[in-house]
Amino acid sequence: MGMGFGGSSVFNMASPSASAASVARILRDYVEPAPARPRRILDVGGTRAGFAAQASLPAQTQLVIANPEPGVGADLPYAEDLPGNDPGFDLIMLFGVMMYLPPAELRKLLAGLRDRLRGTGTLLIAEPDPEGVVGRVEIAAKTVYALVKSLRTPTRFHFHTKGETEALLRELGFTSVTSREDLRPRRPFPLPPPQPPYFILAARR
């Protein structure tokens, strides 16, 4: 999946998963308690130090983390590794992952995650916004850093705008796509190092 998938706190401070207040709002809006059918959450690309550390989960709620990076506390490497008879999820999160995936792989992943949602479940996407001054600076910085870190096999980034992502979600069959920039962490800017704000989209079938 590429460099950065370990969820370093330094480079993810603008992610909703880095803020206890943002995580609480996500749980309030998408993971209401339901004793009759315990809620299930899938965190794709997450770590035990991210959303899981910030969340006070409702009783019996199950959180599954899919991340191929070693040592991040993941339950399985990839969402594709879930068994075919998995009961599905009420909330699937994809935070800061899309930039590591070429278009064909991203399309395949999103289609697979759509099929893992159950009922009125939500796919919540948060991705650094490549537009604007800070976004363009980050694109350049990540590209240079990848080359410095590994000259032989540098990470190839694939930046996606909010508009492109929304169009792809609708093309893949999501009938409701809502902007949720209110879930951004309320932190003073610029962050150390300066980071673009994330665009946040909530999608339902």
Side-chain angles (χ1 to χ4, degrees):
M1 285 292 189
M3 178 196 69
F5 226 61
S8 168
S9 60
V10 173
F11 293 105
N12 292 308
M13 291 177 64
S15 169
S17 62
S19 163
S22 295
V23 168
R25 290 199 298 275
I26 291 170
L27 292 174
R28 177 200 66 196
D29 292 351
Y30 300 113
V31 195
E32 71 277 8
R37 189 181 75 171
R39 297 306 190 189
R40 301 186 75 230
I41 304 170
L42 175 62
D43 189 358
V44 181
T47 73
R48 289 291 164 188
F51 182 92
Q54 302 282 1
S56 295
L57 296 176
Q60 299 184 10
T61 298
Q62 181 185 9
L63 173 63
V64 177
I65 297 175
N67 192 326
E69 288 281 341
V72 299
D75 300 290
L76 67 164
Y78 300 101
E80 294 88 339
D81 295 326
L82 287 162
N85 61 351
D86 184 273
F89 297 89
D90 303 285
L91 173 65
I92 298 177
M93 299 178 294
L94 191 70
F95 293 174
V97 172
M98 297 198 312
M99 72 183 84
Y100 299 104
L101 302 175
E105 287 187 27
L106 176 60
R107 175 182 290 272
K108 181 179 178 182
L109 174 63
L110 292 177
L113 296 181
R114 175 201 62 206
D115 295 341
R116 294 288 184 179
L117 290 172
R118 62 182 183 181
T120 58
T122 299
L123 170 62
L124 193 63
I125 290 175
E127 189 77 3
D129 193 341
E131 299 185 302
V133 174
V134 180
R136 291 184 174 89
V137 169
E138 167 141 309
I139 290 174
K142 282 184 177 294
T143 303
V144 171
Y145 179 62
L147 288 170
V148 170
K149 184 174 181 181
S150 178
L151 291 173
R152 283 189 171 183
T153 57
T155 299
R156 295 185 181 276
F157 291 102
H158 305 269
F159 296 99
H160 309 271
T161 68
K162 179 180 179 180
E164 292 168 347
T165 303
E166 182 172 353
L168 177 58
L169 289 169
R170 293 192 184 280
E171 183 182 335
L172 290 173
F174 289 92
T175 58
S176 171
V177 182
T178 307
S179 179
R180 290 301 311 265
E181 266 73 16
D182 59 299
L183 296 175
R184 288 173 175 170
R186 294 187 177 96
R187 297 183 183 275
F189 284 86
L191 294 172
Q195 297 171 33
Y198 280 44
F199 68 78
I200 305 172
L201 295 171
R204 288 180 172 173
R205 296 186 296 179

